[in-house]
Amino acid sequence: MIWVVGNGGMLGQELCRLFDTEKIDYSGTDRELSILETEVLKKHAEKYNPEWIINCSAYTAVDKAEDDRDSAFKINRDGVENLAKIAAVRDIPIIHISTDYVFDGTSAVALKEDAPTGPIGVYGQSKLAGEEVLRDQCLNHFIIRTAWLYGQYGPNFVYTMLKLMNERDSIKVVSDQVGSPTWTGDLSQLILRIISDKSNKYGTYHFSGEGQCSWYDFACEIYRLGRQKGMVESECDIAPCTSAEFQTRAKRPAFSLLSKEKVKSEIHFIPPEWRASLRRFIEEITERDII
Ligand SMILES: NC(=O)c1ccc[n+]([C@@H]2O[C@H](COP(=O)([O-])OP(=O)(O)OC[C@H]3O[C@@H](n4cnc5c(N)ncnc54)[C@H](OP(=O)(O)O)[C@@H]3O)[C@@H](O)[C@H]2O)c1
């Protein structure tokens, strides 16, 4: 039995859908069984006796975190510590999801797992603290850092763009932040692979779609595919802009392209090219899915 923590989130829901399809036995929990409640968590683990814990829960409001440091650290650090301790005591592996926001964005080359970290915002700092406590408390861990996540079951950049492209004649999108998008469908397949292989190649891994782009490039591809499918009903001009022109509460790393060499060589999982995954995602969704 697999314990999916955070089964109500964008990744958690996608993962549970995959487990349903694959007929994998799991127990999913979210807010109703808070990762901050140690005793309740322990009881759940005793009752279900999971073989793996997968933590998809997190505090993910990047801008809000700047003014809500306590909550971000509680969930992204303390909550992870609670799960790590349960995994360690029960001697079961834990898969935890982290982020490209642990980096400062100044690298000029694709970031390897051992590249120096240096988060520039509270969210990234809290996620890095979660990684550190997990490494400290539970040897049998997989930390998967991912980036620019989108999928069917949560608000995300693709949905935002499709909505805006239908509402406006023109939009501006930042072109000076470079990385690579990740479809929750692909990340779920990676998690499934780790579990199915009963992998013990513990450690930190980077995972996102193959290739690289800016948010502007990503938006242009969403527009092209959206028009092709008829999900964007009228023409919309997409123009590049700078991060300085599009101010947000939290700073974002300018460059956060993740190197996938380790996941390929150790887990033997090949990340699909980001454009191919975006095409599959847009083929799969309908107007009604857009949040
Ligand atoms: N989204 C991205 O672009 C992105 C990029 C890189 C990495 N990641 C990482 O990928 C993982 C999955 O992200 P996601 O976008 O799927 O996140 P999400 O949609 O925000 O889902 C997180 C889930 O955790 C729940 N949660 C929050 N506090 C909790 C608590 N105390 N106890 C139990 N559950 C709690 C949330 O409930 P509420 O909704 O009620 O808060 C939500 O259902 C996270 O670790 C995130 O940091 C995300």
Side-chain angles (χ1 to χ4, degrees):
M1 214 275 302
I2 318 284
W3 183 4
V4 181
V5 181
N7 72 334
M10 184 167 71
L11 176 62
Q13 288 189 61
E14 181 84 53
L15 187 63
C16 291
R17 177 171 70 158
L18 179 62
F19 286 176
D20 285 335
T21 311
E22 297 292 322
K23 300 195 172 18
I24 288 175
D25 192 20
Y26 67 90
S27 152
T29 61
D30 204 81
R31 280 263 179 200
E32 77 291 350
L33 204 146
S34 173
I35 57 169
L36 304 178
E37 303 287 337
T38 41
E39 287 312 311
V40 189
L41 289 173
K42 276 188 209 158
K43 278 197 190 125
H44 188 85
E46 272 156 30
K47 181 170 174 195
Y48 288 95
N49 197 20
E51 291 152 74
W52 290 80
I53 299 176
I54 305 172
N55 182 26
C56 302
S57 76
Y59 182 106
T60 54
V62 175
D63 290 311
K64 208 172 146 207
E66 294 298 308
D67 305 305
D68 194 8
R69 192 182 174 85
D70 271 10
S71 303
F73 270 80
K74 270 210 177 84
I75 296 164
N76 291 342
R77 188 210 166 278
D78 302 351
V80 177
E81 181 171 21
N82 293 337
L83 295 173
K85 282 181 173 164
I86 291 176
V89 166
R90 303 185 72 81
D91 196 23
I92 54 170
I94 177 166
I95 300 177
H96 172 69
I97 313 300
S98 191
T99 170
D100 56 331
Y101 281 30
V102 299
F103 296 110
D104 67 6
T106 58
S107 175
V109 292
L111 291 148
K112 292 194 174 165
E113 288 75 359
D114 58 0
T117 51
I120 52 176
V122 172
Y123 166 73
Q125 289 161 8
S126 67
K127 292 292 290 184
L128 183 60
E131 289 188 4
E132 285 163 353
V133 78
L134 178 53
R135 286 189 194 104
D136 208 40
Q137 296 287 339
C138 179
L139 281 178
N140 300 354
H141 66 260
F142 289 87
I143 294 171
I144 305 174
R145 293 189 186 131
T146 191
W148 301 18
L149 197 61
Y150 68 88
Q152 186 165 349
Y153 301 105
N156 63 73
F157 184 77
V158 182
Y159 284 164
T160 304
M161 286 299 117
L162 289 171
K163 268 190 287 190
L164 286 178
M165 287 165 186
N166 275 315
E167 286 164 13
R168 299 188 191 171
D169 297 336
S170 67
I171 53 171
K172 282 185 172 183
V173 186
V174 294
S175 58
D176 58 1
Q177 286 172 29
V178 172
S180 175
T182 310
W183 179 33
T184 51
D186 292 334
L187 180 52
S188 298
Q189 289 288 347
L190 169 63
I191 295 170
L192 176 66
R193 170 69 61 82
I194 292 171
I195 286 169
S196 311
D197 287 358
K198 296 188 168 48
S199 177
N200 60 2
K201 293 187 171 169
Y202 303 121
T204 302
Y205 290 88
H206 285 177
F207 184 77
S208 65
E210 199 62 278
Q212 85 174 59
C213 63
S214 68
W215 289 106
Y216 167 73
D217 301 326
F218 190 15
C220 290
E221 190 63 5
I222 294 166
Y223 180 68
R224 194 181 72 78
L225 295 168
R227 286 291 281 164
Q228 217 171 58
K229 194 180 166 182
M231 284 187 98
V232 178
E233 283 162 8
S234 54
E235 282 190 14
C236 177
D237 181 55
I238 303 153
C241 73
T242 64
S243 306
E245 278 176 80
F246 192 81
Q247 294 276 339
T248 49
R249 179 76 184 87
K251 272 202 231 158
R252 268 81 174 156
F255 181 92
S256 65
L257 184 67
L258 302 172
S259 162
K260 271 79 68 181
E261 292 314 307
K262 188 175 170 194
V263 82
K264 288 185 212 166
S265 64
E266 296 289 313
I267 310 290
H268 307 295
F269 192 91
I270 309 295
E273 210 267 335
W274 72 266
R275 279 193 176 82
S277 295
L278 180 63
R279 195 178 323 116
R280 286 186 64 194
F281 174 63
I282 288 184
E283 271 165 18
E284 186 182 291
I285 57 169
T286 67
E287 275 86 355
R288 268 177 291 138
D289 292 315
I290 296 177
I291 299 167

